[in-house]
Amino acid sequence: MMADTPPRLILGSASPRRLELLAQIGIVPDALRPADIDETPRKAEPPRDYVRRMAAEKAAALDLVEGEALLTADTTVAVGRRILGKPADRDEAAAFMRLMSGRRHVVLTAIALRHGSRTALRLVETKVRMRSIDPAALERYLDAGDWQGKAGGYAIQGAAAAFIPWLEGSFSAVVGLPLSETAAMLGAIGIHPKIKEDAR
């Protein structure tokens, strides 16, 4: 392999959102290999430590061959020291939304990039404010089912956008992948966007 040949990019995720986000900046992975790990938080584990550990464990869980680089990520929602994972059911989703209603929370996304013997890790923190949600609006939201499979019980690019007037940090990190930081990490190992000219 020539030294200037960029590595093949493997995305260690089954998330369609992460794939769409990468496509937005002109990066298409060569393969998808979702990492299957235990995502249970440790007792009293701080949210920042938890999300870093998840990204790193996903990166370590997969086998690579020479010439491959692996990108993994993990996103979680935290209210204080409490980690809000993916709600198990409607009642838990409702409890999460009530907890965040009318206050700020933090969305933490960790990205890990494994290439050769090294794994680079980056944590991106975004502050999000959710307005007060009245009971009728909450019921309509829960009925729509948009909370399913989402950390904290919501997706900022979905119906819950109606509840979020303000954020400070990276919007794409709240969706699931901080694009500026990811592009910089990939660029450092020779993987650059393939920007297509606008067809207009």
Side-chain angles (χ1 to χ4, degrees):
M1 180 179 280
M2 288 167 53
D4 60 354
T5 302
R8 294 178 74 248
L9 179 62
I10 311 303
L11 179 62
S13 172
S15 165
R17 291 178 295 281
R18 291 197 175 113
L19 204 54
E20 288 164 10
L21 284 166
L22 284 172
Q24 191 179 314
I25 58 167
I27 290 178
V28 179
D30 294 287
L32 304 180
R33 288 183 206 152
D36 184 20
I37 63 166
D38 179 1
E39 299 191 22
T40 309
R42 292 173 180 160
K43 189 175 180 182
E45 185 173 24
R48 287 164 187 79
D49 293 352
Y50 167 74
V51 78
R52 279 193 202 98
R53 180 171 67 84
M54 287 298 97
E57 286 188 7
K58 287 176 184 178
L62 296 168
D63 292 327
L64 296 180
V65 299
E66 191 177 341
E68 291 182 338
L70 173 66
L71 177 68
T72 60
D74 193 75
T75 300
T76 200
V77 174
V79 177
R81 291 178 62 85
R82 183 173 172 189
I83 295 167
L84 305 187
K86 295 172 184 173
D89 52 32
R90 180 191 173 107
D91 288 345
E92 189 170 42
F96 286 177
M97 296 300 285
R98 288 191 198 102
L99 180 64
M100 292 182 288
S101 175
R103 64 191 289 193
R104 292 183 187 184
H105 61 273
V106 174
V107 178
L108 303 163
T109 296
I111 40 178
L113 181 61
R114 186 174 139 215
H115 180 232
S117 60
R118 295 190 57 200
T119 299
L121 197 61
R122 184 88 188 263
L123 176 68
V124 177
E125 188 171 318
T126 306
K127 293 173 185 159
V128 181
R129 184 161 72 83
M130 198 170 274
R131 67 172 173 82
S132 294
I133 306 169
D134 66 68
L138 179 57
E139 287 305 311
R140 287 193 296 272
Y141 173 73
L142 295 169
D143 287 345
D146 201 44
W147 53 269
Q148 295 178 28
K150 313 287 195 328
Y154 81 91
I156 196 167
Q157 74 279 18
F163 306 139
I164 297 169
W166 176 93
L167 68 77
E168 181 182 284
S170 168
F171 178 85
S172 63
V174 181
V175 180
L177 197 66
L179 290 178
S180 177
E181 293 81 358
T182 300
M185 289 171 75
L186 291 173
I189 62 167
I191 297 175
H192 301 288
K194 296 178 178 70
I195 306 293
K196 291 178 182 169
E197 287 188 23
D198 196 327
R200 282 180 301 177

